[in-house]
Amino acid sequence: MNDTAEPALWSLGATQIAALVRSRQVSAREVAQAGLSRLEAVNPAINAVVECRPEETLAAAEAVDARIARGEDPGSLAGVPVTIKVIVDQRGYATTNGLTSQKDLIAKTDNPVVANLLGAGAVSLGRSNTPAFSYRWFTNNLLHGHTYNPRRKDLTPGGSSGGAGAAVAAGIGAIAHGTDIAGSVRYPAYACGVHGLRPSFGRIAAHNSSVAERDIGGQLMATSGPLARSVGDLRLAFTAMAKPDPRDIWSVPAPLHGPAVDRRAALCLRPDGARTDPALEQTLLQSAEKLRAAGWIVDELDALPPIAEAARMQVTLWLGHDYPGKLAAAQAEGDPGALRVLEGQAEFIRSLAPDAIPRALIRRAEIAREWALFLERYPLVLLPPSSELPFADNLDLGSDADFRRVWEAQNAMVGLPITGLPALSLATGATPEGAPLGIQMVAGRFREDVLFDAATEIDARSAPVEIALC
């Protein structure tokens, strides 16, 4: 491909890029060069990617081209530029998780999710930012600095995969890797106006050999997932990532497609009485109409299985387990955002009974069962991604009322990981002021295919996601 066409390469989707590279219409090296040029042009304004090694990126791309030249299968993501969140091991890079204390924690092996992405032919452009300890829905830390939303700088890019969301929204890579324990894929996707998937628990293998074993919350609720600008690219990335690995004892080799389900969906505008912003209610109603136009039956309901209670159980297991240790680590790091999260939850954590953790585990099973039975009748659920439009950046560092407001608005993000179900954050447009809009969709365990199929129907009747110009 000649130089005049090269600038457009960075703007192409993963599906297009892989097809072009596999057919030799363009080389993986050309794609990588275009991606690096885009990163150089826009990353200084948003700080989405905090470590980039151009020589390694180009070498990886050349290896893809060499496989094609030998007649070998380069993989489903041949030459597709991606970003990798700093929370996961990538050989030769520091697994910082946004911490100064881990700036020299160099990984010796690839986390399975990284190995699966790169093994499918993806080419890493660099490492994406996260808040310290990946605690917040805002992304800044003392080591890597502040990440900004490329759509509106005064809004949060989300967190904890804020660097991932900002990167893919700005055209730095066609796919971004993220992780999600309380909305950390879904919320950055929503805040940055792209799509993001939190897969079923156990679907995507992950394990960091560089650090100690995860605590209870991390083991039972954390997942890795993709962010992308199109639903097709999201599905392509998910398929490449969804390979079991013996290092992840919870990973399940479940099929990627299940039996046909009734095309019946439940729509809930205000789960558990949430005070959902009218603009989000409107986009949910419009999305429901698009599903109806595609042949779905969509029933509007006043209530769903537990959301707010599930969020309390999630916080109990995530932050309540070894809270003193988490607080001591945050105090040693000195990161204001991490301290705000832990100190803001101190009253709740200290109110827990001595047997709160085992009781939360029991209640977790009951809530998950309620959701599983509900999804037998309604294989798809539509609900808000948050009760508010994307927050002003660093809103949680304001008053105590601001902190409580943020956490209350996020119940639909925080509660769902208790269930182990897959959830997809679908970008649906923006307000006249440029604040991204979106919806959240939930399906049965290991039924990501239902989410993709429904999201495709809505997306096909919507304006395409545009790249942020920064």
Side-chain angles (χ1 to χ4, degrees), residues 184-240:
S184 289
V185 164
R186 293 164 290 150
Y187 191 72
Y190 163 56
C192 290
V194 296
H195 311 310
L197 174 73
R198 174 194 161 86
S200 305
F201 175 71
R203 168 67 86 178
I204 292 180
H207 172 70
N208 280 341
S209 61
S210 65
V211 294
E213 193 61 73
R214 291 171 167 175
D215 61 13
I216 288 175
Q219 285 198 37
L220 298 184
M221 293 181 292
T223 65
S224 279
L227 298 89
R229 297 185 297 271
S230 78
V231 176
D233 286 356
L234 202 67
R235 191 195 294 254
L236 181 67
F238 162 76
T239 302

Side-chain angles (χ1 to χ4, degrees), residues 351-410:
S351 73
L352 297 175
D355 62 349
I357 298 293
R359 285 185 176 275
L361 288 169
I362 293 170
R363 186 58 184 142
R364 169 180 176 263
E366 294 170 345
I367 291 172
R369 185 172 297 108
E370 288 185 57
W371 271 93
L373 292 171
F374 182 84
L375 288 161
E376 287 290 301
R377 174 166 174 74
Y378 291 104
L380 180 71
V381 176
L382 278 62
L383 72 163
S386 171
S387 64
E388 294 200 21
L389 296 175
F391 304 124
D393 206 7
N394 281 337
L395 178 62
D396 64 336
L397 298 183
S399 66
D400 289 345
D402 288 334
F403 180 85
R404 290 192 297 271
R405 169 187 160 191
V406 166
W407 279 76
E408 181 179 345
Q410 298 297 80

Side-chain angles (χ1 to χ4, degrees), residues 52-232:
C52 173
R53 300 177 185 175
E55 298 83 3
E56 292 187 14
T57 297
L58 293 173
E62 289 167 357
V64 172
D65 290 332
R67 288 200 292 273
I68 294 172
R70 293 192 297 267
E72 300 171 3
D73 183 357
S76 61
L77 296 178
V80 173
V82 303
T83 57
I84 307 295
K85 187 177 177 181
V86 293
I87 194 174
V88 295
D89 285 353
Q90 185 176 357
R91 185 167 48 195
Y93 290 80
T95 307
T96 70
N97 200 14
L99 303 175
T100 59
S101 61
Q102 293 185 191
K103 65 182 179 63
D104 298 318
L105 185 65
I106 307 300
K108 297 179 180 179
T109 59
D110 286 335
N111 186 298
V113 70
V114 175
N116 286 337
L117 279 171
L118 302 185
V123 175
S124 174
L125 288 178
R127 306 273 285 176
S128 63
N129 203 13
T130 190
F133 300 96
S134 294
Y135 275 163
R136 303 167 64 215
W137 297 292
F138 308 81
T139 297
N140 50 74
N141 57 67
L142 299 177
L143 177 62
H144 300 305
H146 199 125
T147 295
Y148 295 96
N149 191 325
R151 303 218 181 262
R152 263 184 53 179
K153 196 170 184 179
D154 62 320
L155 300 179
T156 177
S160 62
S161 306
V168 78
I172 304 174
I175 292 167
H177 159 265
T179 64
D180 189 313
I181 192 174
S184 289
V185 164
R186 293 164 290 150
Y187 191 72
Y190 163 56
C192 290
V194 296
H195 311 310
L197 174 73
R198 174 194 161 86
S200 305
F201 175 71
R203 168 67 86 178
I204 292 180
H207 172 70
N208 280 341
S209 61
S210 65
V211 294
E213 193 61 73
R214 291 171 167 175
D215 61 13
I216 288 175
Q219 285 198 37
L220 298 184
M221 293 181 292
T223 65
S224 279
L227 298 89
R229 297 185 297 271
S230 78
V231 176

Side-chain angles (χ1 to χ4, degrees), residues 215-217 220-221 312-324 326 348-349 351-365 418:
D215 61 13
I216 288 175
L220 298 184
M221 293 181 292
R312 291 193 296 273
M313 296 302 99
Q314 196 275 359
V315 174
T316 300
L317 295 172
W318 176 34
L319 299 180
H321 183 217
D322 190 25
Y323 175 81
K326 290 180 172 66
F348 172 75
I349 297 299
S351 73
L352 297 175
D355 62 349
I357 298 293
R359 285 185 176 275
L361 288 169
I362 293 170
R363 186 58 184 142
R364 169 180 176 263
I418 280 286

